[in-house]
Amino acid sequence: PMIEIGGRPMLWHIMQSYSRHGFKRFVLCLGYKAEMIKAYFLHYSSLNSDFTVELRNNSLTMHSQAYSDDWTVTLSDTGESAMTGSRIAKAAGRYLGDAETFAVTYGDGLTDANLASELAFHLDHGKTGTVLGVNPPSRFGEIRLEGDKVVEFEEKPEFGSSWINGGYFFFQRSFLKYLSLDDSCVLERTPDRKSTRLNSSHITI
């Protein structure tokens, strides 16, 4: 999540994707190297502003910039060994509040999908959860032959009839009953399999 793209962590870009579609409240479920993510947001202002330090008395004056990031960010340490379902269960129990619908994603994937449209799709269908389905690219270049002659070559084409988990979800609060606080709870296994009310928002990205 903290690998930089264009001078900003991937996590910041993921949050920007949500922010562009009106999502402003974030809960980060931290584990491995949580201190790096905590430090980034704790010092967000100083990292993105000019400031003056008076070395004689150690006073600090911030020359704050006008930020476009009007986010509320909660950093929840869910434990280094917790799996995805457990992280969600722990953070939701503390910080979901009275929200009936919430979004979930990982910290290692970006999308240009319209997340507001995915939310609307989710709400329109009245399901417990919605997953963004994407066409996976082939691992290999594909050739088409006529006899022993190559007539077409395509480098790593998408599988148009196959869908995989694109890593962006919307859930209703009722989905939490399928989760466990146990560190072994994996979102993509028992919870999704137990819930028969999960639909897919098929958006190609």
Side-chain angles (χ1 to χ4, degrees):
M2 297 306 291
I3 291 174
E4 288 194 357
I5 302 172
R8 297 274 194 166
M10 184 184 295
L11 180 58
W12 181 88
H13 290 284
I14 293 170
M15 295 165 73
Q16 278 289 335
S17 295
Y18 279 103
S19 182
R20 282 193 294 272
H21 299 289
F23 302 94
K24 305 292 185 181
R25 181 181 166 209
F26 300 93
V27 178
L28 307 183
C29 304
L30 308 182
Y32 178 66
K33 293 197 173 180
E35 67 280 1
M36 294 181 65
I37 299 175
K38 287 182 176 180
Y40 177 77
F41 285 98
L42 187 62
H43 301 294
Y44 190 85
S45 179
S46 61
L47 289 170
N48 294 281
S49 299
D50 296 340
F51 58 86
T52 300
V53 179
E54 292 284 347
L55 298 181
R56 181 174 49 189
N57 57 15
N58 201 34
S59 67
L60 177 68
T61 303
M62 300 295 300
H63 309 294
S64 296
Q65 307 294 321
Y67 301 121
S68 59
D69 306 330
D70 54 339
W71 307 338
T72 300
V73 184
T74 299
L75 295 101
S76 177
D77 197 333
T78 54
E80 190 167 322
S81 61
M83 301 302 287
T84 48
S86 173
R87 292 189 189 285
I88 295 167
K90 291 175 181 179
R94 301 169 191 164
Y95 304 114
L96 188 59
D98 59 359
E100 286 298 322
T101 305
F102 61 99
V104 171
T105 194
Y106 308 108
D108 61 355
L110 297 171
T111 184
D112 60 359
N114 187 321
L115 296 173
S117 293
E118 187 185 354
L119 174 59
F121 178 97
H122 169 71
L123 295 174
D124 286 348
H125 286 73
K127 301 292 186 178
T128 302
T130 296
V131 59
L132 179 66
V134 299
N135 294 126
S138 168
R139 291 177 54 204
F140 309 102
E142 184 177 291
I143 60 174
R144 187 166 62 85
L145 301 174
E146 289 183 0
D148 59 358
K149 180 182 178 183
V150 175
V151 294
E152 185 178 6
F153 177 83
E154 187 173 0
E155 177 63 14
K156 297 182 177 63
E158 288 186 347
F159 295 121
S161 60
S162 299
W163 296 94
I164 62 171
N165 172 9
Y168 284 78
F169 304 85
F170 282 96
F171 292 113
Q172 293 305 110
R173 173 183 286 274
S174 59
F175 183 71
L176 295 177
K177 68 185 178 185
Y178 298 106
L179 301 178
S180 167
L181 294 174
D182 189 284
D183 280 354
S184 65
C185 178
V186 178
L187 170 67
E188 303 80 5
R189 293 181 186 167
T190 305
D192 279 350
R193 291 175 184 171
K194 283 182 178 177
S195 174
T196 59
R197 292 176 56 77
L198 182 70
N199 57 223
S200 175
S201 171
H202 288 176
I203 303 174
T204 302
I205 58 173

